Amino acid sequence: MTIDRWVTRAAARDPDRAALVFGAETIRYADLAQTVAARAGELAAAGVRRGDRVAWFGLNHPEVFVLLFACARIGAILAPLNWRLAEAEIAAIVANAEPRLVIHDAHFAEAAARLAGVAVHPRGGLPPGTASPETGTGDDPVLLVYTSGSTGRPKGAVLTQRALVANAAMSVEAHGLTADDRVLNVLPLFHVGGLNILPTPAFSVGATVVLHERFDPVATLAALQEVSHAITVPTVLQAVIGSPGWSDADLARLRAISIGSTDVPLALIEAVHARGVPVMQIYGATETCPLAIYQSHGEAMASVGSIGRAGSRCRIRLMQDGIEAGLGEPGEIWVKGDNVLREYWRDPDLTAEALRDGWFRTGDVAVRDAEGLYWFTDRIKHVIISGGENIYPAEIERVLRGDPRVAEVAVVGRRDPKWGEVPVAVVAARGPLTRDEVLGMLGGRIARYKHPKDVVFVRELPRNAMGKVVAAEVRALISGGSP
């Protein structure tokens, strides 16, 4: 089955049901199905064939989903561009993806016009087409999503229609989605979290997607009072909780807030739980579409801090030095299933490195307990080996973030002639704070050898487009210090 059938099926069942709400505009399923069919014809008339790429260069808009389903129908691939990147970075991605077309919104008309060697069209500016050829299959690639590039050059993950189907099934199961639900997305649609944690699963059951052009905390708080589910990341949720009116907001309709992040501050979760709303952690990666491990709606409040259980449409291994880790032992998360990427675009070496017999090596470390719950530990590349001991920065960060005087913290390794590497805490404080006070927060909480050997104070931590801390830039901040 091609995923555009989600829309045609919902339109046949309930044509007047709202498919998309975008500002003052409401798009019915009947209208969405008609628009998808028309757009598929237009793409075909513009020369787009099976396997061709179509890039979207713009903010969140219903057109992203129209293009996704239209591409699915004809077997083409949607490549949403990260508009927060520098123009040179976007140009490099376009050169790598070689899209047949770049379709842009009014915000990026000038930047799109400067892209070389590609046909560029404004949204709504494609030439008219005829009936679209339904040449797509469930095995066809349908998404080419480039990673944020926070640790190197962006790489394009190729996701098939089958991957989106598997991902949607897991999200529907986790959230208990039905056609009566309304789901909110304020995350950018150039990321699989914004696309696939809630919106595409909602379309798969004929539910309603409420889409914001970009994140605004006041508008988000208002929308949370009108929806059943919402997807966030920690920076977004923190801004919403800090908005005027949070404590008085009527959240009676809100069944859950999902959060797509590996390590969520417990204080954030507790603040939402205090309002009676479960916070569901979703673990995954661009390469897993992204659902791989997740909390269910029913277990979220009973397993705070866990990233949940293995997804029902994939398998999980925790691997340590080539063998599977035992209960309570840290291991790298490996994922295998239909949700996993087919390959990295035009990079067979990187594909071979990341995939072993179909298993995707995430680079993340977790432990599994006797109940089958997984607990995120850290990224492998973040692990600090000091005097032969493994130190996981996330463990230190969790303790420090628990102190109200700490606004943000990241722990990274610094080269040391005696120990090889030592941990250093980079802290953004809410007020006056000293090095000794920071180190004192750890006393009796974690082993002494894990304590940072230095503290560097900054106004704020460097973050990428999805609000994740950029470790390479944090390391640059400490390079001039001394242990």
Side-chain angles (χ1 to χ4, degrees):
M1 185 192 80
T2 53
I3 61 173
D4 59 293
R5 300 302 174 94
W6 290 339
V7 176
T8 55
R9 184 176 61 198
R13 184 172 59 241
D14 194 350
D16 291 327
R17 183 180 292 275
L20 270 162
V21 177
F22 184 69
E25 180 183 14
T26 297
I27 303 171
R28 303 179 310 148
Y29 265 101
D31 299 326
L32 180 59
Q34 185 176 15
T35 303
V36 167
R39 194 73 76 249
E42 291 168 0
L43 291 175
V48 177
R49 300 292 181 263
R50 187 176 179 188
D52 284 346
R53 280 73 60 207
V54 176
W56 166 256
F57 190 4
L59 301 178
N60 288 358
H61 192 276
E63 182 68 12
V64 181
F65 296 110
V66 171
L67 289 172
L68 173 64
F69 293 127
C71 284
R73 178 168 296 199
I74 64 176
I77 305 170
L78 177 65
L81 301 177
N82 181 348
W83 50 265
R84 290 176 174 169
L85 297 176
E87 283 193 29
E89 294 173 303
I90 291 173
I93 288 173
V94 169
N96 180 252
E98 291 189 314
R100 176 74 63 177
L101 303 172
V102 173
I103 300 172
H104 64 83
D105 67 10
H107 298 283
F108 298 98
E110 294 182 4
R114 289 191 286 271
L115 293 171
V118 64
V120 174
H121 295 270
R123 179 178 61 81
L126 287 173
T130 56
S132 61
E134 297 186 24
T135 52
T137 74
D139 289 324
D140 285 336
V142 73
L143 268 177
L144 175 57
V145 186
Y146 283 81
T147 60
S148 63
S150 62
T151 57
R153 62 180 176 83
K155 50 188 182 290
V158 178
L159 299 170
T160 65
Q161 299 202 43
R162 192 178 301 279
L164 268 70
V165 170
N167 178 86
M170 290 189 285
S171 180
V172 168
E173 175 187 80
H175 295 94
L177 292 178
T178 72
D180 294 326
D181 283 313
R182 292 169 65 90
V183 306
L184 172 67
N185 180 68
V186 301
L187 303 184
L189 294 178
F190 56 71
H191 192 276
V192 291
L195 278 169
N196 292 336
I197 290 182
L198 280 175
T200 53
F203 289 125
S204 78
V205 295
T208 301
V209 175
V210 179
L211 181 67
H212 287 193
E213 184 177 64
R214 60 199 308 174
F215 170 63
D216 175 82
V218 175
T220 300
L221 181 57
L224 287 176
Q225 300 174 68
E226 303 294 333
V227 299
S228 59
H229 299 80
I231 174 62
T232 64
V233 291
T235 51
V236 164
L237 188 54
Q238 182 65 65
V240 171
I241 290 173
S243 298
W246 164 255
S247 59
D248 299 322
D250 180 3
L251 304 179
R253 299 182 187 180
L254 188 61
R255 288 179 23 221
I257 289 179
S258 302
I259 195 154
S261 183
T262 50
D263 194 32
V264 184
L266 293 183
L268 276 183
I269 298 175
E270 290 164 355
V272 180
H273 284 185
R275 296 300 317 277
V277 179
V279 175
M280 297 170 55
Q281 281 196 244
I282 307 293
Y283 168 81
T286 300
E287 293 88 345
T288 62
C289 206
L291 272 75
I293 301 172
Y294 45 85
Q295 291 181 313
S296 67
H297 176 272
E299 283 192 323
M301 283 191 165
S303 56
V304 174
S306 166
I307 56 175
R309 300 181 184 276
S312 61
R313 298 296 183 96
C314 62
R315 296 162 59 195
I316 302 296
R317 282 180 176 172
L318 298 183
M319 301 300 291
Q320 184 182 84
D321 299 325
I323 60 174
E324 201 149 359
L327 289 180
E329 295 179 347
E332 182 185 12
I333 302 171
W334 288 19
V335 186
K336 187 174 188 178
D338 285 343
N339 59 317
V340 170
L341 83 162
R342 172 175 291 182
E343 62 188 345
Y344 287 113
W345 181 254
R346 294 177 173 171
D347 200 331
D349 292 339
L350 188 60
T351 301
E353 180 183 339
L355 291 173
R356 298 283 179 87
D357 297 322
W359 289 93
F360 172 63
R361 305 172 60 185
T362 66
D364 288 326
V365 179
V367 297
R368 182 170 63 90
D369 67 19
E371 303 300 318
L373 293 169
Y374 289 82
W375 303 79
F376 176 78
T377 304
D378 215 328
R379 294 282 293 166
I380 285 178
K381 61 177 173 283
H382 294 168
V383 173
I384 300 166
I385 303 176
S386 185
E389 297 283 356
N390 285 358
I391 299 174
Y392 295 98
E395 181 183 11
I396 305 168
E397 292 164 359
R398 289 186 195 111
V399 175
L400 295 180
R401 275 201 304 259
D403 193 291
R405 293 170 292 177
V406 175
E408 296 183 300
V409 60
V411 175
V412 293
R414 175 192 288 162
R415 291 188 180 277
D416 182 84
K418 180 178 180 181
W419 302 106
E421 211 176 12
V422 294
V424 176
V426 180
V427 175
R430 289 196 169 90
L433 195 62
T434 67
R435 175 185 185 276
D436 288 344
E437 286 173 330
V438 170
L439 297 178
M441 299 172 189
L442 301 168
R445 305 288 299 280
I446 61 173
R448 190 75 185 175
Y449 73 87
K450 301 178 183 179
H451 287 206
K453 299 301 185 287
D454 197 4
V455 178
V456 174
F457 291 97
V458 296
R459 293 182 62 182
E460 61 182 15
L461 296 178
R463 296 180 180 274
N464 66 14
M466 285 302 294
K468 294 182 180 180
V469 174
V470 183
E473 294 184 23
V474 176
R475 291 190 187 95
L477 294 173
I478 71 167
S479 61
S482 58

